[in-house]
Amino acid sequence: ARADHAHMIEDYTLPYQIHNYAHNNQWCVTDLGYVGRIADAISLSENLTVVPRHPKLNTLDQSEGCFRIGRTRLMETCVKWELWDDLASRADTTLAAIDHKDDRIRRLRSLGAAWFNLGKREAGEKALADLEELVQKEPSSTESDAKKKEEADKARDGKLKPVRTAIEEVKGWAKTAEGDFKGALEHFAKCDGLRKEVLAQAQLRAGEKEKAEKTAKGAADGAKGQLYPLAAYLEILASNGTKDEAALKNFRELAIFAEPGLPVLKRLVAAGVELPPSKAWADLSKLGPLAWRPSTASFWSLNDMNGGAFNLEVAADNPVLVLFYLGSKCQHCVEQLGKFTALHEEYQKAGITIVAVSTETGEEIRKACDDPKKNFPFVMLADPSMKAFKQYHCWDDFENAPLHGTFLVDAKDRAHGRIRWQDISYEPFMDAKFLLEESKRLLGLK
C-alpha cells in the first residue's frame, strides 16, 4: 500500500483510476485488524471513505468502490474490537447516514450495538425503531393466487433477512444492557452469521460456561492468525478458571504488534493473562504513506489571450479548476466549456476560480471569442507549446498528442499546491454539477 501510494502521488494517479485499489486496501485493513493494529486499520478505512469520487469510477452506489468498502471495514473493525466510542463519535461525520439500503442496515446495526454498550438507551432504541421501520416499508404480497402469494412472501422474507438479523442483534445488546443475559442470548441465537465470539460471550454471561468455551474455541480454531477470536477464547477460559497452553502460546506469538489498550486485551490483563512484550513494527515510512494523499501540484505561468500573465502558484491560494482543452475547433471541448459556463456563478460562490488552458495561441483564442458561442466567462490561457499540458500528464506519448484534462488545484501554502481531483481522457469531462459538489466536499476536508 505504501509503495503504491508513493507511486500514485508522484505520477498524478487517483485511487479511482486503479481498478483493484479498493480491493487491495480493504484487505490491508482486514489484515491490520487480524494482528491488532487497529489505529492503522481505522485510519486506512477512513481514508477510503474520503478519497476523491468520480461519477463513473467511484460512486456511493458501487458496492466495490472505495467509499462503500471503507465504511464497511470501518464499521466491522470498530464492532469487532468493541470500539463503541469510535463508532459513536463518527455517527454524524464519517458514518453519517447515506441513501443506500444495505449500508443503512449495516450502519444501524453497528450504531445500535454501540449505543446500548455505551448506556445510551434512547439512541439505541431509535436505531432499533429505524430498523423495524425498514421491515414495515417492505410491501406485503397482494397476490390472490395462493402459490404466487407463497412465492412472493418467500421473496419478501429473503429481502428482509438482513434487517431482521440486525434487529435480533441490536435487541440482544439491549437485553445485555438491561442485565437480562438469558434474554440477550435468545436474540443472539437467532442471528444467522453472528460472530461466534459474540455468541460465546453471551453464553458465558447467561451462565452456559461449557457452551461458551466450546463456541469460543471453535471461533479461535476457525480463525488462525487472527488475534481477536484467540483473545476472546482466552478471556472465557480465564472466566472459567481453565487454561489452554497451546492457545496461550499462539496468543503470545500473535499479540506482539497489538495495541495494548484494546478493550479485550485490557480485560485479559485484568484476568491475569500476561501480554507479550510489544515489538516495534518495521518502519516502512520510506516506502510511502500508509494512506493516499493528493499529489503535489506543479505550478506554471501562462499568458492569457491578451498577453497578460497568469501564475497558478499565486492563483492557487484559492481553489482553481483548470480545464485543459484542445482548442476552439474541438466541438466536445466547446461543449465542455459551455457546461462549466452554465455553473460559473455557482463555482464562484464556492470560492473556486475556473481557468481554461488551450492548445491555441492567444490570437487564435481571441478570434474564437468573436463567436458568442465561444466567448466564455473565465480566464482563457494559451499553451501552444503544450508545456503545461505535459506537466499535468495531459499528453499521449504514444500518439504524441494532447489529451483533455480537468483538475481541481488548491494550496495549503504557497510552497505546497495539491491536486485534489482530476480527470485525464481522450474525451473532456462533462459533469460540471457533479464536480461542483465533489469540489465542495474535498475542499471541506483537512
Side-chain angles (χ1 to χ4, degrees):
R2 288 180 180 275
D4 210 15
H5 290 143
H7 170 75
M8 293 166 69
I9 293 166
E10 178 70 22
D11 201 42
Y12 289 10
T13 302
L14 271 69
Y16 54 69
Q17 294 177 276
I18 300 176
H19 78 281
N20 61 352
Y21 180 85
H23 171 86
N24 290 349
N25 281 270
Q26 66 98 5
W27 274 111
C28 187
V29 170
T30 300
D31 291 336
L32 288 166
Y34 284 167
V35 296
R37 292 187 62 200
I38 305 307
D40 282 344
I42 288 176
S43 176
L44 196 51
S45 295
E46 287 200 293
N47 187 247
L48 284 170
T49 70
V50 299
V51 296
R53 297 169 192 164
H54 190 283
K56 295 180 181 178
L57 305 174
N58 181 26
T59 70
L60 303 188
D61 292 329
Q62 289 175 321
S63 60
E64 298 302 313
C66 292
F67 178 76
R68 289 274 302 287
I69 281 182
R71 278 174 70 97
T72 300
R73 291 293 170 264
L74 177 57
M75 286 185 270
E76 286 179 354
T77 301
C78 290
V79 168
K80 181 175 183 176
W81 287 93
E82 307 165 53
L83 302 177
W84 309 121
D85 279 321
D86 289 82
L87 265 173
S89 68
R90 291 166 170 81
D92 297 318
T93 55
T94 311
L95 296 177
I98 63 170
D99 187 19
H100 191 282
K101 185 178 179 181
D102 291 344
D103 185 273
R104 186 183 303 118
I105 295 169
R106 189 180 296 111
R107 176 181 178 273
L108 291 171
R109 182 175 181 172
S110 301
L111 285 173
W115 296 132
F116 281 117
N117 274 283
L118 291 170
K120 298 183 178 181
R121 186 167 192 88
E122 186 176 344
E125 294 287 1
K126 176 65 168 60
L128 190 55
D130 288 345
L131 283 167
E132 289 173 336
E133 185 180 355
L134 293 177
V135 175
Q136 296 165 7
K137 284 183 175 179
E138 191 65 40
S140 300
S141 172
T142 56
E143 288 284 353
S144 56
D145 181 83
K147 186 176 181 180
K148 288 183 178 179
K149 187 178 188 311
E150 182 181 355
E151 291 174 352
D153 288 342
K154 188 176 180 180
R156 181 177 185 270
D157 287 341
K159 288 182 181 179
L160 288 174
K161 186 175 181 179
V163 68
R164 283 175 170 157
T165 298
I167 288 170
E168 292 298 338
E169 181 175 349
V170 176
K171 283 183 175 179
W173 290 119
K175 291 292 185 182
T176 301
E178 293 173 6
D180 181 1
F181 302 128
K182 288 189 179 295
L185 182 57
E186 289 177 7
H187 286 294
F188 286 136
K190 295 177 184 177
C191 297
D192 288 340
L194 183 73
R195 288 187 299 111
K196 288 183 179 180
E197 305 95 313
V198 176
L199 183 60
Q201 289 162 350
Q203 290 168 335
L204 182 67
R205 287 190 292 264
E208 299 181 4
K209 294 184 177 182
E210 290 184 6
K211 280 186 178 180
E213 194 170 310
K214 183 178 179 182
T215 302
K217 186 177 189 308
D221 289 345
K224 299 293 184 183
Q226 297 183 35
L227 182 60
Y228 184 87
L230 195 54
Y233 173 48
L234 291 176
E235 183 184 10
I236 286 176
L237 290 179
S239 297
N240 289 348
T242 55
K243 290 185 177 181
D244 184 331
E245 292 298 335
L248 190 58
K249 180 176 181 293
N250 288 340
F251 171 77
R252 286 175 176 154
E253 291 174 351
L254 190 58
I256 57 175
F257 297 117
E259 297 160 24
L262 295 168
V264 68
L265 299 186
K266 289 171 72 175
R267 293 197 300 270
L268 277 178
V269 171
V273 177
E274 186 178 349
L275 298 183
S278 295
K279 185 175 180 180
W281 193 262
D283 182 9
L284 304 177
S285 59
K286 289 183 179 179
L287 294 177
L290 177 65
W292 178 86
R293 63 171 183 252
S295 299
T296 300
S298 297
F299 291 133
W300 36 257
S301 293
L302 294 171
N303 289 332
D304 63 27
M305 62 182 181
N306 297 312
F310 178 91
N311 189 319
L312 182 61
E313 182 177 1
V314 175
D317 279 350
N318 295 308
V320 180
L321 185 68
V322 184
L323 307 174
F324 287 94
Y325 74 104
L326 310 187
S328 57
K329 293 180 181 179
C330 173
Q331 293 304 311
H332 292 295
C333 294
V334 172
E335 183 182 353
Q336 180 200 36
L337 296 179
K339 288 182 178 294
F340 282 90
T341 294
L343 291 176
H344 183 238
E345 289 187 8
E346 295 300 314
Y347 275 91
Q348 283 185 316
K349 288 177 184 177
I352 301 169
T353 300
I354 301 178
V355 299
V357 181
S358 174
T359 56
E360 297 172 314
T361 65
E363 183 179 355
E364 288 172 323
I365 297 172
R366 283 198 309 275
K367 286 182 179 179
C369 288
D370 289 338
D371 181 347
K373 293 181 180 179
K374 296 179 182 180
N375 190 356
F376 303 105
F378 23 80
V379 176
M380 309 292 286
L381 302 175
D383 186 23
S385 68
M386 284 168 267
K387 179 182 177 181
F389 272 81
K390 292 175 182 177
Q391 273 184 261
Y392 273 50
H393 298 195
C394 298
W395 185 261
D396 186 334
D397 290 316
F398 184 77
E399 297 287 350
N400 200 33
L403 294 167
H404 305 87
T406 303
F407 295 83
L408 177 66
V409 180
D410 77 339
K412 284 184 177 177
D413 53 62
R414 187 59 60 82
H416 182 56
R418 299 177 294 179
I419 295 178
R420 305 301 297 271
W421 191 93
Q422 72 179 50
D423 183 89
I424 303 172
S425 177
Y426 62 91
E427 58 184 8
F429 182 79
M430 297 289 191
D431 198 338
K433 185 176 181 181
F434 166 86
L435 188 50
L436 175 61
E437 296 307 314
E438 176 64 357
S439 297
K440 291 177 183 178
R441 184 186 74 86
L442 290 171
L443 294 169
L445 301 174
K446 293 180 181 179

